[in-house]
């Protein structure tokens, strides 16, 4: 087996809105984070401010956790939504959480915003969180890692629960016209889990998840993996690079759109690195084993 290497993330902790965006939209916070029309307006304003060719939603990593019943502090324009109080202290409580209802709450509003933006001709990036990021909203991380060490079978059951939820979210995203799904789970990265647990998670959760997603993806959708996830798959021999020659240098974000229909997965760079250039005109796509 190869070795998992880490990716130094500098984008996951970015929070809040720039002063220019807040002044331009004249929206009220935190209400702007809750309704589809204000979300869409914000997404377009951010796209124009950053001079990119896609809109991105949501503006935090708490969406799925909240939809599962988590307690959220919605913040303001300076600090976006974040976890408030943990609602689970045991594995049984975590396993007992109801399935996400995509027809109500903020998660439904996000999907409405995605649909609106798609109908307006925008490329839409929907950020979907991995299990540790979701659990971080619901349970104290100390309990999570204790579960992993002392009761791995129960932890697997919890991961299976989240795998099903993430797969359902991917399906709902495609129904809403999302053509770029960004997946990240920095809370479950190598720097936090360590090599042994990272390998276990890649094999019992990450690889099966993306094999299932691969079957569900239509030709008009691509998945943008966080490089931390990419390297976990490569390092456990669950995936390999496949190069696509673009014919000319271009931004990574532009290349991701260009190869929709040619590849299911990319993940050599964080999509939030909006100025990253593929100077050699080659994008590395990911082929699962």
């Amino acid at each position: 087996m190869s070795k998992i290497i880490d990716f130094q993330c500098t984008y996951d902790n970015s929070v809040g809105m720039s002063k220019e965006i807040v002044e331009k939209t004249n929206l009220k916070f935190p209400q702007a984070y809750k309704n589809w029309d204000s979300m869409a307006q914000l997404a377009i304003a951010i796209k124009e401010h950053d001079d990119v060719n896609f809109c991105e939603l949501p503006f935090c990593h708490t969406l799925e956790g909240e939809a599962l019943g988590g307690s959220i502090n919605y913040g303001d324009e300076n600090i976006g939504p974040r976890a408030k109080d943990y609602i689970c202290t045991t594995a049984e409580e975590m396993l007992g959480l109801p399935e996400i209802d995509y027809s109500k709450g903020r998660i439904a509003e996000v999907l409405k915003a995605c649909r609106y933006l798609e109908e307006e001709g925008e490329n839409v990036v929907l950020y979907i969180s991995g299990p540790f990021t979701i659990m971080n909203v619901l349970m104290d991380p100390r309990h999570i890692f204790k579960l992993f060490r002392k009761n791995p079978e129960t932890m697997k059951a919890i991961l299976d629960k989240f795998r099903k939820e993430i797969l359902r979210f991917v399906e709902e995203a495609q129904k809403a016209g999302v053509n770029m799904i960004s997946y990240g789970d920095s809370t479950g990265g190598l720097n936090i889990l360590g090599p042994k647990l990272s390998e276990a998670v890649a094999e019992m959760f990450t690889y099966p998840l993306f094999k299932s997603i691969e079957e569900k993806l239509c030709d008009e959708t691509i998945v943008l993996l966080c490089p931390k996830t990419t390297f976990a798959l490569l390092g456990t021999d669950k995936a390999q690079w496949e190069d696509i020659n673009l014919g000319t240098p271009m931004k990574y974000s532009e290349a991701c759109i260009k190869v929709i229909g040619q590849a299911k997965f990319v993940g050599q760079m964080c999509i939030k690195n909006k100025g990253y250039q593929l100077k050699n005109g080659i994008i590395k796509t990911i082929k699962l084993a």
Side-chain angles (χ1 to χ4, degrees):
M1 183 182 290
S2 305
K3 180 182 178 182
I4 299 176
I5 60 174
D6 199 14
F7 177 81
Q8 298 302 315
C9 177
T10 57
Y11 297 93
D12 197 63
N13 294 323
S14 57
V15 294
M17 298 289 160
S18 73
K19 184 178 179 181
E20 294 87 349
I21 291 171
V22 172
E23 290 177 349
K24 181 177 180 180
T25 59
N26 205 28
L27 292 169
K28 301 298 181 184
F29 291 83
Q31 195 61 34
Y33 295 127
K34 300 180 182 181
N35 302 315
W36 74 264
D37 49 351
S38 56
M39 290 181 195
Q41 190 177 342
L42 263 180
I44 291 172
I46 293 169
K47 172 200 169 187
E48 293 173 350
H49 178 268
D50 293 344
D51 190 26
V52 291
N53 54 352
F54 60 86
C55 292
E56 48 196 323
L57 286 163
F59 312 110
C60 66
H61 298 291
T62 64
L63 186 67
E64 299 94 322
E66 180 189 25
L68 285 161
S71 176
I72 303 299
N73 182 335
Y74 286 103
D76 52 31
E77 67 271 23
N78 299 309
I79 301 176
R82 59 201 185 277
K84 187 178 180 182
D85 300 310
Y86 297 123
I87 64 168
C88 297
T89 57
T90 67
E92 290 72 25
E93 288 174 338
M94 189 82 83
L95 288 168
L97 292 174
E99 288 188 343
I100 292 175
D101 184 346
Y102 292 94
S103 68
K104 66 180 185 180
R106 187 161 60 105
I107 203 163
E109 296 296 306
V110 167
L111 291 169
K112 288 177 189 175
C114 290
R115 169 56 69 192
Y116 170 81
L117 292 167
E118 186 272 336
E119 290 175 350
E120 291 294 304
E122 300 287 355
N123 295 300
V124 181
V125 173
L126 177 66
Y127 291 103
I128 291 183
S129 295
F132 289 92
T133 300
I134 298 172
M135 283 189 280
N136 208 35
V137 174
L138 303 168
M139 178 184 276
D140 189 317
R142 292 175 297 177
H143 297 317
I144 296 168
F145 294 120
K146 184 178 179 181
L147 266 175
F148 231 132
R149 290 193 307 271
K150 294 195 171 183
N151 201 335
E153 286 302 313
T154 301
M155 193 66 209
K156 184 179 184 304
I158 292 172
L159 290 175
D160 285 343
K161 176 184 178 71
F162 286 118
R163 179 170 54 83
K164 292 174 185 176
E165 286 295 351
I166 292 168
L167 188 58
R168 289 178 64 225
F169 198 10
V170 168
E171 293 175 316
E172 294 297 327
Q174 290 192 116
K175 291 178 189 176
V178 171
N179 63 336
M180 303 168 75
I181 294 169
S182 178
Y183 175 92
D185 196 17
S186 62
T187 310
L190 176 67
N191 59 320
I192 296 175
L193 297 184
K196 187 176 180 180
L197 285 185
S198 293
E199 288 181 10
V201 171
E203 293 186 358
M204 81 165 70
F205 176 84
T206 312
Y207 177 68
L209 169 68
F210 287 111
K211 287 299 284 186
S212 297
I213 288 177
E214 187 175 40
E215 295 174 1
K216 299 288 186 181
L217 283 184
C218 62
D219 290 339
E220 292 77 34
T221 310
I222 194 167
V223 176
L224 319 172
L225 299 183
C226 165
K228 286 179 178 284
T229 302
T230 299
F231 292 140
L233 291 169
L234 295 172
T236 50
D237 297 325
K238 298 299 185 185
Q240 62 186 28
W241 294 119
E242 281 200 350
D243 292 351
I244 292 181
N245 193 328
L246 303 164
T248 184
M250 65 178 67
K251 286 182 179 179
Y252 179 66
S253 58
E254 294 171 349
C256 290
I257 295 171
K258 187 176 178 65
V259 298
I260 291 175
Q262 301 178 61
K264 297 288 189 182
F265 305 100
V266 294
Q268 73 189 85
M269 180 46 63
C270 177
I271 192 64
K272 293 180 183 178
N273 188 343
K274 295 169 181 176
Y276 185 75
Q277 291 278 346
L278 298 171
K279 296 179 181 178
N280 60 359
I282 294 173
I283 186 170
K284 290 184 172 297
T285 69
I286 299 159
K287 183 174 178 60
L288 299 177

